mmCIF file of all heavy atoms in Angstrom:
data_model
loop_
_atom_site.group_PDB
_atom_site.id
_atom_site.type_symbol
_atom_site.label_atom_id
_atom_site.label_comp_id
_atom_site.label_asym_id
_atom_site.label_seq_id
_atom_site.Cartn_x
_atom_site.Cartn_y
_atom_site.Cartn_z
ATOM 1 N N ARG A 538 0.827 -1.221 0.000
ATOM 2 C CA ARG A 538 0.000 0.000 0.000
ATOM 3 C C ARG A 538 0.858 1.267 0.000
ATOM 4 O O ARG A 538 0.559 2.249 0.671
ATOM 5 C CB ARG A 538 -0.980 0.006 1.169
ATOM 6 C CG ARG A 538 -2.030 1.113 1.000
ATOM 7 C CD ARG A 538 -3.212 0.979 1.893
ATOM 8 N NE ARG A 538 -4.027 2.158 1.954
ATOM 9 C CZ ARG A 538 -4.759 2.667 0.966
ATOM 10 N NH1 ARG A 538 -4.765 2.081 -0.196
ATOM 11 N NH2 ARG A 538 -5.483 3.747 1.131
ATOM 12 N N ARG A 539 1.914 1.226 -0.755
ATOM 13 C CA ARG A 539 2.767 2.391 -0.937
ATOM 14 C C ARG A 539 2.446 3.024 -2.281
ATOM 15 O O ARG A 539 2.083 2.330 -3.230
ATOM 16 C CB ARG A 539 4.234 1.975 -0.912
ATOM 17 C CG ARG A 539 4.664 1.527 0.481
ATOM 18 C CD ARG A 539 6.071 1.065 0.513
ATOM 19 N NE ARG A 539 6.962 2.052 -0.094
ATOM 20 C CZ ARG A 539 8.266 1.959 -0.062
ATOM 21 N NH1 ARG A 539 8.846 0.946 0.527
ATOM 22 N NH2 ARG A 539 9.014 2.874 -0.625
ATOM 23 N N PRO A 540 2.600 4.343 -2.379
ATOM 24 C CA PRO A 540 2.335 4.999 -3.668
ATOM 25 C C PRO A 540 3.252 4.453 -4.758
ATOM 26 O O PRO A 540 4.442 4.212 -4.519
ATOM 27 C CB PRO A 540 2.648 6.466 -3.402
ATOM 28 C CG PRO A 540 2.590 6.626 -1.922
ATOM 29 C CD PRO A 540 2.980 5.298 -1.340
ATOM 30 N N VAL A 541 2.700 4.256 -5.924
ATOM 31 C CA VAL A 541 3.499 3.803 -7.065
ATOM 32 C C VAL A 541 4.431 4.931 -7.500
ATOM 33 O O VAL A 541 5.598 4.708 -7.779
ATOM 34 C CB VAL A 541 2.595 3.349 -8.230
ATOM 35 C CG1 VAL A 541 3.409 3.039 -9.482
ATOM 36 C CG2 VAL A 541 1.769 2.125 -7.815
ATOM 37 N N PHE A 542 3.903 6.152 -7.537
ATOM 38 C CA PHE A 542 4.690 7.324 -7.930
ATOM 39 C C PHE A 542 4.888 8.223 -6.720
ATOM 40 O O PHE A 542 3.931 8.628 -6.084
ATOM 41 C CB PHE A 542 3.980 8.107 -9.039
ATOM 42 C CG PHE A 542 3.739 7.298 -10.270
ATOM 43 C CD1 PHE A 542 2.459 6.879 -10.594
ATOM 44 C CD2 PHE A 542 4.777 6.937 -11.104
ATOM 45 C CE1 PHE A 542 2.216 6.122 -11.728
ATOM 46 C CE2 PHE A 542 4.555 6.169 -12.238
ATOM 47 C CZ PHE A 542 3.265 5.770 -12.556
ATOM 48 N N ARG A 543 6.131 8.532 -6.418
ATOM 49 C CA ARG A 543 6.426 9.403 -5.283
ATOM 50 C C ARG A 543 6.838 10.801 -5.733
ATOM 51 O O ARG A 543 6.960 11.703 -4.913
ATOM 52 C CB ARG A 543 7.521 8.780 -4.433
ATOM 53 C CG ARG A 543 7.046 7.493 -3.798
ATOM 54 C CD ARG A 543 8.022 6.984 -2.772
ATOM 55 N NE ARG A 543 7.646 5.617 -2.474
ATOM 56 C CZ ARG A 543 8.452 4.582 -2.596
ATOM 57 N NH1 ARG A 543 9.685 4.741 -2.975
ATOM 58 N NH2 ARG A 543 8.013 3.375 -2.317
ATOM 59 N N THR A 544 7.069 10.955 -7.021
ATOM 60 C CA THR A 544 7.482 12.237 -7.571
ATOM 61 C C THR A 544 6.638 12.549 -8.798
ATOM 62 O O THR A 544 6.433 11.688 -9.641
ATOM 63 C CB THR A 544 8.977 12.197 -7.987
ATOM 64 O OG1 THR A 544 9.768 11.844 -6.852
ATOM 65 C CG2 THR A 544 9.432 13.533 -8.537
ATOM 66 N N PHE A 545 6.171 13.781 -8.858
ATOM 67 C CA PHE A 545 5.429 14.271 -10.014
ATOM 68 C C PHE A 545 6.085 15.553 -10.474
ATOM 69 O O PHE A 545 6.345 16.444 -9.659
ATOM 70 C CB PHE A 545 3.962 14.558 -9.649
ATOM 71 C CG PHE A 545 3.157 13.329 -9.408
ATOM 72 C CD1 PHE A 545 3.199 12.684 -8.190
ATOM 73 C CD2 PHE A 545 2.356 12.794 -10.402
ATOM 74 C CE1 PHE A 545 2.475 11.534 -7.953
ATOM 75 C CE2 PHE A 545 1.613 11.654 -10.190
ATOM 76 C CZ PHE A 545 1.668 11.016 -8.963
ATOM 77 N N ILE A 546 6.346 15.654 -11.755
ATOM 78 C CA ILE A 546 6.912 16.864 -12.320
ATOM 79 C C ILE A 546 5.916 17.384 -13.349
ATOM 80 O O ILE A 546 5.594 16.688 -14.309
ATOM 81 C CB ILE A 546 8.282 16.607 -12.966
ATOM 82 C CG1 ILE A 546 9.259 16.083 -11.911
ATOM 83 C CG2 ILE A 546 8.810 17.868 -13.645
ATOM 84 C CD1 ILE A 546 10.586 15.634 -12.457
ATOM 85 N N LEU A 547 5.431 18.588 -13.116
ATOM 86 C CA LEU A 547 4.479 19.214 -14.028
ATOM 87 C C LEU A 547 5.194 20.321 -14.787
ATOM 88 O O LEU A 547 5.597 21.318 -14.191
ATOM 89 C CB LEU A 547 3.289 19.789 -13.266
ATOM 90 C CG LEU A 547 2.503 18.796 -12.405
ATOM 91 C CD1 LEU A 547 1.435 19.520 -11.606
ATOM 92 C CD2 LEU A 547 1.884 17.710 -13.262
ATOM 93 N N VAL A 548 5.372 20.115 -16.076
ATOM 94 C CA VAL A 548 6.019 21.108 -16.910
ATOM 95 C C VAL A 548 4.932 21.711 -17.792
ATOM 96 O O VAL A 548 4.445 21.070 -18.716
ATOM 97 C CB VAL A 548 7.142 20.493 -17.770
ATOM 98 C CG1 VAL A 548 7.804 21.542 -18.645
ATOM 99 C CG2 VAL A 548 8.163 19.790 -16.891
ATOM 100 N N MET A 549 4.546 22.932 -17.440
ATOM 101 C CA MET A 549 3.469 23.612 -18.151
ATOM 102 C C MET A 549 3.766 25.101 -18.170
ATOM 103 O O MET A 549 4.541 25.599 -17.361
ATOM 104 C CB MET A 549 2.135 23.362 -17.431
ATOM 105 C CG MET A 549 1.785 21.896 -17.295
ATOM 106 S SD MET A 549 0.402 21.631 -16.190
ATOM 107 C CE MET A 549 -0.927 22.136 -17.266
ATOM 108 N N ALA A 550 3.096 25.801 -19.063
ATOM 109 C CA ALA A 550 3.275 27.249 -19.182
ATOM 110 C C ALA A 550 2.762 27.972 -17.938
ATOM 111 O O ALA A 550 1.961 27.418 -17.175
ATOM 112 C CB ALA A 550 2.536 27.753 -20.422
ATOM 113 N N ARG A 551 3.222 29.188 -17.768
ATOM 114 C CA ARG A 551 2.707 30.043 -16.687
ATOM 115 C C ARG A 551 1.205 30.178 -16.844
ATOM 116 O O ARG A 551 0.683 30.293 -17.943
ATOM 117 C CB ARG A 551 3.324 31.435 -16.771
ATOM 118 C CG ARG A 551 4.739 31.509 -16.301
ATOM 119 C CD ARG A 551 5.193 32.940 -16.352
ATOM 120 N NE ARG A 551 4.395 33.692 -15.380
ATOM 121 C CZ ARG A 551 4.879 34.612 -14.571
ATOM 122 N NH1 ARG A 551 6.155 34.905 -14.644
ATOM 123 N NH2 ARG A 551 4.109 35.228 -13.719
ATOM 124 N N GLY A 552 0.515 30.160 -15.711
ATOM 125 C CA GLY A 552 -0.926 30.372 -15.736
ATOM 126 C C GLY A 552 -1.751 29.140 -16.070
ATOM 127 O O GLY A 552 -2.969 29.229 -16.204
ATOM 128 N N ALA A 553 -1.105 27.986 -16.197
ATOM 129 C CA ALA A 553 -1.829 26.761 -16.563
ATOM 130 C C ALA A 553 -2.503 26.102 -15.362
ATOM 131 O O ALA A 553 -3.308 25.189 -15.534
ATOM 132 C CB ALA A 553 -0.881 25.766 -17.244
ATOM 133 N N GLY A 554 -2.160 26.523 -14.150
ATOM 134 C CA GLY A 554 -2.829 26.004 -12.972
ATOM 135 C C GLY A 554 -2.008 25.098 -12.080
ATOM 136 O O GLY A 554 -2.553 24.416 -11.215
ATOM 137 N N LYS A 555 -0.699 25.092 -12.260
ATOM 138 C CA LYS A 555 0.152 24.214 -11.451
ATOM 139 C C LYS A 555 0.052 24.544 -9.964
ATOM 140 O O LYS A 555 -0.133 23.644 -9.147
ATOM 141 C CB LYS A 555 1.609 24.310 -11.901
ATOM 142 C CG LYS A 555 1.872 23.850 -13.313
ATOM 143 C CD LYS A 555 3.330 24.026 -13.718
ATOM 144 C CE LYS A 555 3.806 25.445 -13.698
ATOM 145 N NZ LYS A 555 3.256 26.336 -14.711
ATOM 146 N N ASN A 556 0.168 25.839 -9.623
ATOM 147 C CA ASN A 556 0.102 26.228 -8.205
ATOM 148 C C ASN A 556 -1.245 25.879 -7.588
ATOM 149 O O ASN A 556 -1.312 25.393 -6.460
ATOM 150 C CB ASN A 556 0.357 27.732 -8.027
ATOM 151 C CG ASN A 556 1.799 28.017 -7.685
ATOM 152 O OD1 ASN A 556 2.543 28.427 -8.547
ATOM 153 N ND2 ASN A 556 2.184 27.779 -6.453
ATOM 154 N N GLY A 557 -2.316 26.146 -8.306
ATOM 155 C CA GLY A 557 -3.647 25.817 -7.784
ATOM 156 C C GLY A 557 -3.793 24.337 -7.525
ATOM 157 O O GLY A 557 -4.347 23.915 -6.501
ATOM 158 N N PHE A 558 -3.289 23.527 -8.446
ATOM 159 C CA PHE A 558 -3.347 22.071 -8.299
ATOM 160 C C PHE A 558 -2.558 21.623 -7.074
ATOM 161 O O PHE A 558 -3.030 20.836 -6.254
ATOM 162 C CB PHE A 558 -2.809 21.416 -9.578
ATOM 163 C CG PHE A 558 -2.909 19.917 -9.616
ATOM 164 C CD1 PHE A 558 -4.098 19.255 -9.334
ATOM 165 C CD2 PHE A 558 -1.812 19.162 -9.985
ATOM 166 C CE1 PHE A 558 -4.187 17.872 -9.400
ATOM 167 C CE2 PHE A 558 -1.891 17.778 -10.059
ATOM 168 C CZ PHE A 558 -3.084 17.129 -9.763
ATOM 169 N N ILE A 559 -1.356 22.169 -6.925
ATOM 170 C CA ILE A 559 -0.517 21.829 -5.775
ATOM 171 C C ILE A 559 -1.189 22.268 -4.478
ATOM 172 O O ILE A 559 -1.156 21.553 -3.470
ATOM 173 C CB ILE A 559 0.881 22.485 -5.911
ATOM 174 C CG1 ILE A 559 1.628 21.919 -7.105
ATOM 175 C CG2 ILE A 559 1.686 22.337 -4.635
ATOM 176 C CD1 ILE A 559 1.772 20.419 -7.141
ATOM 177 N N SER A 560 -1.806 23.445 -4.488
ATOM 178 C CA SER A 560 -2.496 23.940 -3.289
ATOM 179 C C SER A 560 -3.603 22.983 -2.865
ATOM 180 O O SER A 560 -3.727 22.664 -1.680
ATOM 181 C CB SER A 560 -3.088 25.329 -3.540
ATOM 182 O OG SER A 560 -2.081 26.265 -3.806
ATOM 183 N N THR A 561 -4.413 22.537 -3.824
ATOM 184 C CA THR A 561 -5.518 21.634 -3.463
ATOM 185 C C THR A 561 -5.000 20.305 -2.939
ATOM 186 O O THR A 561 -5.537 19.771 -1.966
ATOM 187 C CB THR A 561 -6.477 21.396 -4.655
ATOM 188 O OG1 THR A 561 -5.784 20.733 -5.714
ATOM 189 C CG2 THR A 561 -7.084 22.695 -5.153
ATOM 190 N N LEU A 562 -3.965 19.779 -3.562
ATOM 191 C CA LEU A 562 -3.386 18.511 -3.081
ATOM 192 C C LEU A 562 -2.788 18.670 -1.685
ATOM 193 O O LEU A 562 -3.039 17.847 -0.794
ATOM 194 C CB LEU A 562 -2.311 18.000 -4.044
ATOM 195 C CG LEU A 562 -2.804 17.283 -5.294
ATOM 196 C CD1 LEU A 562 -1.665 17.108 -6.288
ATOM 197 C CD2 LEU A 562 -3.418 15.940 -4.944
ATOM 198 N N ALA A 563 -1.994 19.716 -1.490
ATOM 199 C CA ALA A 563 -1.351 19.932 -0.188
ATOM 200 C C ALA A 563 -2.403 20.080 0.904
ATOM 201 O O ALA A 563 -2.288 19.468 1.976
ATOM 202 C CB ALA A 563 -0.455 21.166 -0.240
ATOM 203 N N HIS A 564 -3.438 20.867 0.638
ATOM 204 C CA HIS A 564 -4.478 21.075 1.641
ATOM 205 C C HIS A 564 -5.228 19.773 1.921
ATOM 206 O O HIS A 564 -5.503 19.441 3.077
ATOM 207 C CB HIS A 564 -5.436 22.163 1.180
ATOM 208 C CG HIS A 564 -6.377 22.604 2.251
ATOM 209 N ND1 HIS A 564 -7.255 23.623 2.072
ATOM 210 C CD2 HIS A 564 -6.603 22.162 3.524
ATOM 211 C CE1 HIS A 564 -7.975 23.806 3.171
ATOM 212 N NE2 HIS A 564 -7.588 22.919 4.061
ATOM 213 N N PHE A 565 -5.530 19.026 0.875
ATOM 214 C CA PHE A 565 -6.219 17.746 1.079
ATOM 215 C C PHE A 565 -5.376 16.816 1.955
ATOM 216 O O PHE A 565 -5.890 16.177 2.870
ATOM 217 C CB PHE A 565 -6.528 17.072 -0.256
ATOM 218 C CG PHE A 565 -7.201 15.743 -0.097
ATOM 219 C CD1 PHE A 565 -8.557 15.669 0.205
ATOM 220 C CD2 PHE A 565 -6.492 14.553 -0.225
ATOM 221 C CE1 PHE A 565 -9.188 14.448 0.374
ATOM 222 C CE2 PHE A 565 -7.107 13.335 -0.059
ATOM 223 C CZ PHE A 565 -8.464 13.273 0.242
ATOM 224 N N PHE A 566 -4.078 16.750 1.690
ATOM 225 C CA PHE A 566 -3.214 15.846 2.453
ATOM 226 C C PHE A 566 -3.145 16.181 3.932
ATOM 227 O O PHE A 566 -2.974 15.296 4.759
ATOM 228 C CB PHE A 566 -1.800 15.810 1.864
ATOM 229 C CG PHE A 566 -1.696 15.006 0.606
ATOM 230 C CD1 PHE A 566 -1.021 15.505 -0.485
ATOM 231 C CD2 PHE A 566 -2.271 13.759 0.496
ATOM 232 C CE1 PHE A 566 -0.915 14.774 -1.653
ATOM 233 C CE2 PHE A 566 -2.169 13.010 -0.660
ATOM 234 C CZ PHE A 566 -1.489 13.523 -1.745
ATOM 235 N N ILE A 567 -3.257 17.465 4.283
ATOM 236 C CA ILE A 567 -3.195 17.827 5.706
ATOM 237 C C ILE A 567 -4.583 17.893 6.340
ATOM 238 O O ILE A 567 -4.692 18.150 7.533
ATOM 239 C CB ILE A 567 -2.437 19.160 5.928
ATOM 240 C CG1 ILE A 567 -3.146 20.329 5.265
ATOM 241 C CG2 ILE A 567 -0.989 19.026 5.457
ATOM 242 C CD1 ILE A 567 -2.575 21.690 5.627
ATOM 243 N N SER A 568 -5.619 17.642 5.555
ATOM 244 C CA SER A 568 -6.987 17.704 6.078
ATOM 245 C C SER A 568 -7.396 16.363 6.702
ATOM 246 O O SER A 568 -6.772 15.330 6.462
ATOM 247 C CB SER A 568 -7.971 18.054 4.966
ATOM 248 O OG SER A 568 -8.206 16.936 4.120
ATOM 249 N N SER A 569 -8.466 16.406 7.454
ATOM 250 C CA SER A 569 -9.004 15.171 8.047
ATOM 251 C C SER A 569 -9.585 14.242 6.982
ATOM 252 O O SER A 569 -9.723 13.039 7.214
ATOM 253 C CB SER A 569 -10.079 15.513 9.081
ATOM 254 O OG SER A 569 -11.139 16.221 8.464
ATOM 255 N N PHE A 570 -9.909 14.770 5.798
ATOM 256 C CA PHE A 570 -10.451 13.944 4.724
ATOM 257 C C PHE A 570 -9.436 12.910 4.242
ATOM 258 O O PHE A 570 -9.798 11.840 3.775
ATOM 259 C CB PHE A 570 -10.893 14.808 3.543
ATOM 260 C CG PHE A 570 -11.989 15.757 3.894
ATOM 261 C CD1 PHE A 570 -11.708 17.087 4.144
ATOM 262 C CD2 PHE A 570 -13.309 15.337 3.992
ATOM 263 C CE1 PHE A 570 -12.710 17.981 4.475
ATOM 264 C CE2 PHE A 570 -14.319 16.218 4.331
ATOM 265 C CZ PHE A 570 -14.029 17.543 4.574
ATOM 266 N N HIS A 571 -8.148 13.246 4.355
ATOM 267 C CA HIS A 571 -7.097 12.329 3.920
ATOM 268 C C HIS A 571 -6.940 11.172 4.897
ATOM 269 O O HIS A 571 -6.609 10.066 4.512
ATOM 270 C CB HIS A 571 -5.778 13.094 3.761
ATOM 271 C CG HIS A 571 -4.671 12.271 3.210
ATOM 272 N ND1 HIS A 571 -3.430 12.266 3.774
ATOM 273 C CD2 HIS A 571 -4.602 11.437 2.151
ATOM 274 C CE1 HIS A 571 -2.641 11.454 3.084
ATOM 275 N NE2 HIS A 571 -3.327 10.945 2.094
ATOM 276 N N GLY A 572 -7.166 11.469 6.173
ATOM 277 C CA GLY A 572 -7.177 10.392 7.157
ATOM 278 C C GLY A 572 -5.843 10.050 7.786
ATOM 279 O O GLY A 572 -5.736 9.056 8.499
ATOM 280 N N ILE A 573 -4.814 10.828 7.539
ATOM 281 C CA ILE A 573 -3.516 10.583 8.163
ATOM 282 C C ILE A 573 -3.169 11.810 9.001
ATOM 283 O O ILE A 573 -2.941 12.893 8.462
ATOM 284 C CB ILE A 573 -2.409 10.306 7.124
ATOM 285 C CG1 ILE A 573 -2.769 9.060 6.298
ATOM 286 C CG2 ILE A 573 -1.058 10.152 7.808
ATOM 287 C CD1 ILE A 573 -1.802 8.767 5.165
ATOM 288 N N ASP A 574 -3.172 11.634 10.321
ATOM 289 C CA ASP A 574 -2.885 12.750 11.225
ATOM 290 C C ASP A 574 -1.471 13.277 11.022
ATOM 291 O O ASP A 574 -0.528 12.510 10.802
ATOM 292 C CB ASP A 574 -3.043 12.317 12.686
ATOM 293 C CG ASP A 574 -4.483 12.025 13.055
ATOM 294 O OD1 ASP A 574 -5.387 12.540 12.361
ATOM 295 O OD2 ASP A 574 -4.707 11.278 14.025
ATOM 296 N N GLU A 575 -1.334 14.583 11.110
ATOM 297 C CA GLU A 575 -0.045 15.274 11.041
ATOM 298 C C GLU A 575 0.764 14.908 9.788
ATOM 299 O O GLU A 575 1.985 14.769 9.836
ATOM 300 C CB GLU A 575 0.754 15.020 12.310
ATOM 301 C CG GLU A 575 0.041 15.548 13.546
ATOM 302 C CD GLU A 575 0.810 15.326 14.827
ATOM 303 O OE1 GLU A 575 2.052 15.189 14.767
ATOM 304 O OE2 GLU A 575 0.165 15.290 15.885
ATOM 305 N N TYR A 576 0.076 14.772 8.682
ATOM 306 C CA TYR A 576 0.738 14.478 7.413
ATOM 307 C C TYR A 576 1.690 15.620 7.080
ATOM 308 O O TYR A 576 1.361 16.784 7.245
ATOM 309 C CB TYR A 576 -0.310 14.308 6.304
ATOM 310 C CG TYR A 576 0.205 13.618 5.071
ATOM 311 C CD1 TYR A 576 0.265 12.237 5.005
ATOM 312 C CD2 TYR A 576 0.633 14.352 3.973
ATOM 313 C CE1 TYR A 576 0.732 11.593 3.870
ATOM 314 C CE2 TYR A 576 1.106 13.721 2.830
ATOM 315 C CZ TYR A 576 1.148 12.351 2.791
ATOM 316 O OH TYR A 576 1.615 11.708 1.662
ATOM 317 N N ASP A 577 2.876 15.309 6.632
ATOM 318 C CA ASP A 577 3.902 16.308 6.365
ATOM 319 C C ASP A 577 3.893 16.672 4.882
ATOM 320 O O ASP A 577 3.980 15.788 4.033
ATOM 321 C CB ASP A 577 5.269 15.750 6.758
ATOM 322 C CG ASP A 577 6.366 16.788 6.694
ATOM 323 O OD1 ASP A 577 6.071 17.987 6.841
ATOM 324 O OD2 ASP A 577 7.527 16.402 6.484
#
């Protein structure tokens, strides 16, 4: 039950939404919805 991919590299133009995508993932990982307390 380990992630298959531990690294993701998004190569896209400015304004394509990379930061927004990262923000949603980061917030989800530290939220109670993810289910892992004190996720780093």
Side-chain angles (χ1 to χ4, degrees):
R538 192 165 166 67
R539 291 178 51 172
V541 173
F542 301 108
R543 294 190 194 123
T544 303
F545 289 82
I546 300 173
L547 302 175
V548 180
M549 302 169 76
R551 285 184 65 138
K555 297 178 299 291
N556 264 102
F558 185 51
I559 295 305
S560 297
T561 64
L562 280 168
H564 190 176
F565 179 78
F566 284 134
I567 63 171
S568 76
S569 60
F570 298 101
H571 185 227
I573 300 175
D574 292 338
E575 298 181 24
Y576 197 83
D577 188 26

